Structures are given as C-alpha cells and as structure tokens.
Amino acid sequence: SPSLQPEAPARALPHVVIFPFPIQGHVNSMLKLAELLILCLQRDDDLRITFLNSEHNHNRLLHCSDVTSRFSNHPTFRFKTIPDGLPSETARSKDNLLEVFNNLKLRARDVLAELMAPSDDQPPPTCIIADGFMSFMIDAGEEFGLPVVMFRTISACCFWAYFCIPRLIEAGELPIQGNQDMDRIVTSVPGTDGLLRCRDLPGFCRVADLSDPQLQNITLQTSQTTRAQGLILNTFEALEGPILNQIRAHCANIYTVGPLNAHLKSRLPAASQFPIRQSSNSLWEEDRSCLIWLDKQPVRSVVYVSFGSLAVLEREELTEFGHGIVNSNYRFLWVLRPDSVGSHDHIDAELQAATEERGCIVEWAPQEEVLAHPAIGGFLTHSGWNSTIESITAGVPMVCWPYFADQQVNSRFVSEAWKVGLDMKDRCDRTVVKTMINDLMVEKRDDLSRSVFAKANQAKEAVSVGGSSWDNMNRLIENILSMGG
Ligand code: UDP
C-alpha cells in the first residue's frame, strides 16, 4: 500500500564551510565573500555558513574589526575556530607560514568530522569553499563526500605563473642562475607574450635549489586546483581576461567575482542594515585619526605608503624609504606596523621633522577608506593582491615595491600590462624612491590616472547588474545551493 512506500529523503539544508588560510589578505577576502553570499540570498534561511578561523586570528578579529556587529544579525552565519598550532605569543610571519600550513593540514580533517556529526543546532555541511592554498581540503571533502570549491585570493596572473612552474622547470627556465640571470625573458608562461622576466616570476622561484619546500608546496597546491569543482577569484574579466582563458583550459569552472569590495557595495540594498562606512576585517586595530588628517590635505596631494600585513623591512630599506619619501617633498601617510620593522628607534630626526610638517604615520590604517579619500594621489605598495585590486577600484595609481610570493608578478602586470603603476622591484635606494614618487605624482600622473580610471570603471561595470562578476556570483550561489541535494 502507498503508506509502506519509503519517503523521499528530505533535501539536505545547504550549509557551506568557508576556510581561509589564516593571514590578513586571505581572511579579508573570504569574509567579504561570506558577506556577499548573505547579501545575495533571498532569505538568511537559504544557506548556513560556517566560517573557520584560526583561534589566533579569531581573537584578533573580534578585538579589532566590526565583524561581531556585522554578522550578528544573521543567525545562520557562525564562526568556528581551529588552532594553528603555534604558541599564542609567537608572531605569525612569512617565516612560519609553512609551519601553520602543516599544522592546519593535520587538524582540518578532524574539525570537518566534528561538523559532519549530527548536532541539534546545525545541519552537516553540504559543501566547502576552501582557500586555494590548502588542497588538503579537497582530500577531506572527498573523504566526507563534500564538493569543494577553491577560492584563490591572489591574481589570476600569479595563479597562472604558479601553475606553469612545472613547465618552467621542464623547459630549463628554472632555476634562475643567479643575479645576472634576472632579466632573462621566460617563455613557458603562455599568454604573457614576453612580459615576464625571471625577476617577475613569483618570489618563491628565487631559489637555486628546486627542492625548496616553499616552492614545492606552492607548485603542488596550485596543481591540485584542477580537482576542485570550481575556482573563485577576486578579479574581473576585463582586467585579466586573456590569462583567465589560459587557466580555463585546465580549470573549466572559474567564478571571477571581484573586485569584492566594489561588489559588496553594489549588492547593498538601498535601505541597508549594514553600516554605510566601509566594513573592516582587520586583524590590527585601525587608527582612524589618519582620516581626520587626510580631511585637511589638498586633493590628490598625499602619497599613501603601506607594505601590507606580512612584509618586514630591513633597517637599511626603511632608512632608504624614509629618505626617499622625505626628499620627494610630498605629503605622506605611512603605515608602519609595530612588527614591520625591528624597532621604532629607526625613525630618524629628519623623518620625524618631515612627519610633523607634512606627514602622518600610523600602525594600521582603514586602507579602503584611505584609498577612497580624495586627498590620496598615489600608493607606494608592496603589491599584495588585495592592496592592488583595492587601489585599482579606487582609481589610485601605484608605485610597486614587491616583497615576496605573488607580489613580483602583480607589480609587473600593474606596470607593463595594465599601465596603472610603476614597478621599482629589487631597487631600494633613496634616489629611486624619490624619482618614482615624483613620476607617480607629477611626471607620469596623467597617463597613469587615465589607465587606472578606465580600469576602475570596468571594475564597476563588472559588479553591476548583468556584469561578469555579478553574473558569476549568481551562478556560484545557484551551484552552492544545488550542492545541498
Ligand atoms: N590593510 C589595512 N590597513 C593597513 C594595511 C593593510 O586594512 O594599514 C589591508 C588591506 O586593505 C588589504 C590587506 O590588509 O586588504 C592586505 O592584503 P594584501 O593582499 O594587500 O597584502 P598581504 O598583507 O597579504 O601581504
């Protein structure tokens, strides 16, 4: 009889686990993605989100950002934490990233097992959005039958350079043969048409020994992306179209949804429950006094200087930057993290005097608001991807001093492909700094501004209704929801 028929199993409630690698740029963009998902859904109820933070970062985030107030209205969003394995007092720096990576790799499976276990307050996950740097999440997803979409928080051009490392090795273009070899053009990164010299390859390629653990790891992590259901990138088609097409031959399902900061604004409903001011995902306390200082400066008169969250400057480098900035005679806003230099005794009298006269130094700035401020005329940056795309979105041209990892590639594309900045890579003396700032603010300002405004407009189009990033976000959501059943 019909009553003996087994009932169709209830459709699983969609529940995504979002897991960034625990450094500022990655956490920032993955939180933005989470917020976008919430904004795009019809009802909160449509999707549950568990955001997996390292314990260390989570405490800092709660202390320094406004995530608590932003996410508290959304009962279907929650944070969960995972230990990163380092003692809490140890500074997280580029030197222990691999250790953090290995520790997370050991623990992630158990955290996922815990989430899969029946519980009263949450249905089990139905899919994972994992940092594209952590391919062990694909293994974990396979074990629990969960589809995994990778979110790579770097540029498409750097992702592609990483992807081509095995070809570069096979063609004998790597390893780089010392300093005298740095200007050799590489040919094994298809689609870059003679743009890349050895010095423009990812920082991890600057090793004599190809068995270097960081090089090996980045190559492996990148190659694994092809196993994922899809690849999310914080970029837009009009910026990186040709490179994205190269990647599509290997990872067919790419969701370009960036620039995420602009995309978030474009999705905000007119009567928004979100605060009007930029939201903050900072792991350092933002010093908002610099905005008040900026209010008093003339339009486009200030150089903004920041090297991101991980760069640590040598004492000599700091001295050279200090003198270059002071000698350029421009107004400046400089972010000097307490841990970005050995100590603060390096600030010499000359820099101190110039700061009092026409500068402002803070330990951490609300960067997106700074870049959007009319007083900013240019950005001296380390070319981290978030900083780069935030600068492009704000229409601010750059001088690039790449520090490590993806930054060497980004700065080359900024200067030679997109023409929205100048690349001073591998040079750090006061004369170069002064000349570069002068070019940025005066000599090359009109050309750079024209290009960067054009890119900013294309970015805006991409995140507007019917734009490529807008449509890709809708497609991503549809796919995530369909993974529930
Ligand atoms: N940032 C900030 N305040 C600062 C310096 C940086 O809010 O004083 C933010 C910046 O807006 C960006 C992130 O920190 O979103 C840095 O990421 P990026 O990828 O540029 O560089 P990383 O820190 O990973 O080297």
Side-chain angles (χ1 to χ4, degrees), residues 86-133:
L86 298 189
S88 61
E89 64 281 5
T90 302
R92 274 62 175 169
S93 74
K94 99 180 204 304
D95 297 331
N96 52 31
L97 292 184
L98 197 54
E99 198 181 338
V100 167
F101 176 91
N102 288 326
N103 291 336
L104 293 176
K105 185 174 169 180
L106 282 178
R107 292 172 165 86
R109 188 221 160 264
D110 290 346
V111 172
L112 202 55
E114 215 178 285
L115 288 170
M116 293 302 289
S119 99
D120 293 339
D121 62 337
Q122 284 288 347
T126 51
C127 72
I128 299 170
I129 296 180
D131 196 306
F133 182 54

Side-chain angles (χ1 to χ4, degrees), residues 24-25 28 282 304 306 308-310 335 364-365 367 382 384-387 390 407:
Q24 175 72 75
N28 187 6
S282 279
Y304 172 54
S306 164
S309 66
L310 289 165
V335 176
W364 191 255
Q367 180 163 305
H382 71 310
W385 183 240
N386 290 285
S387 296
E390 287 161 12
Q407 299 153 16

Side-chain angles (χ1 to χ4, degrees), residues 23-26 28-29 32 153-154 280-284 286 304-311 334-337 362-371 379 381-390 403-404 406-407 410:
I23 48 182
Q24 175 72 75
H26 296 226
N28 187 6
S29 29
K32 285 199 164 89
T153 61
I154 54 175
S280 153
N281 297 324
S282 279
L283 300 175
W284 283 262
E286 293 172 352
Y304 172 54
V305 185
S306 164
F307 302 115
S309 66
L310 289 165
W334 193 349
V335 176
L336 278 177
R337 292 183 344 264
V362 293
E363 296 193 342
W364 191 255
Q367 180 163 305
E368 285 181 47
E369 285 177 84
V370 165
L371 286 170
F379 184 7
T381 172
H382 71 310
S383 297
W385 183 240
N386 290 285
S387 296
T388 304
I389 198 138
E390 287 161 12
Y403 178 69
F404 86 130
D406 57 328
Q407 299 153 16
N410 298 340

Side-chain angles (χ1 to χ4, degrees), residues 335-483:
V335 176
L336 278 177
R337 292 183 344 264
D339 56 345
S340 68
V341 281
S343 68
H344 268 138
D345 60 2
H346 54 271
I347 298 196
D348 58 30
E350 215 175 315
L351 177 56
Q352 203 135 28
T355 308
E356 276 157 29
E357 192 193 307
R358 58 175 185 279
C360 176
I361 295 181
V362 293
E363 296 193 342
W364 191 255
Q367 180 163 305
E368 285 181 47
E369 285 177 84
V370 165
L371 286 170
H373 197 287
I376 296 295
F379 184 7
L380 171 52
T381 172
H382 71 310
S383 297
W385 183 240
N386 290 285
S387 296
T388 304
I389 198 138
E390 287 161 12
S391 199
I392 289 175
T393 311
V396 175
M398 292 159 260
V399 164
C400 306
W401 187 70
Y403 178 69
F404 86 130
D406 57 328
Q407 299 153 16
Q408 272 82 9
V409 188
N410 298 340
S411 64
R412 186 65 171 172
F413 273 77
V414 162
S415 71
E416 299 307 309
W418 309 323
K419 308 215 183 285
V420 296
L422 309 167
D423 191 359
M424 65 171 268
K425 112 170 3 113
D426 299 329
R427 286 173 298 165
C428 179
D429 71 70
R430 56 193 74 183
T431 323
V432 176
V433 175
K434 180 185 166 192
T435 310
M436 285 279 174
I437 292 180
N438 196 47
D439 284 350
L440 176 73
M441 300 298 277
V442 184
E443 297 296 325
K444 300 187 176 158
R445 167 179 171 146
D446 289 348
D447 286 347
L448 292 173
S449 296
R450 211 169 301 122
S451 311
V452 79
F453 286 149
K455 296 290 176 218
N457 280 334
Q458 290 173 340
K460 214 178 221 170
E461 273 168 34
V463 297
S464 302
V465 183
S468 53
S469 295
W470 178 282
D471 287 348
N472 276 330
M473 189 67 205
N474 291 348
R475 190 166 61 85
L476 174 65
I477 290 185
E478 265 170 43
N479 290 358
I480 289 176
L481 295 181
S482 73
M483 288 168 184

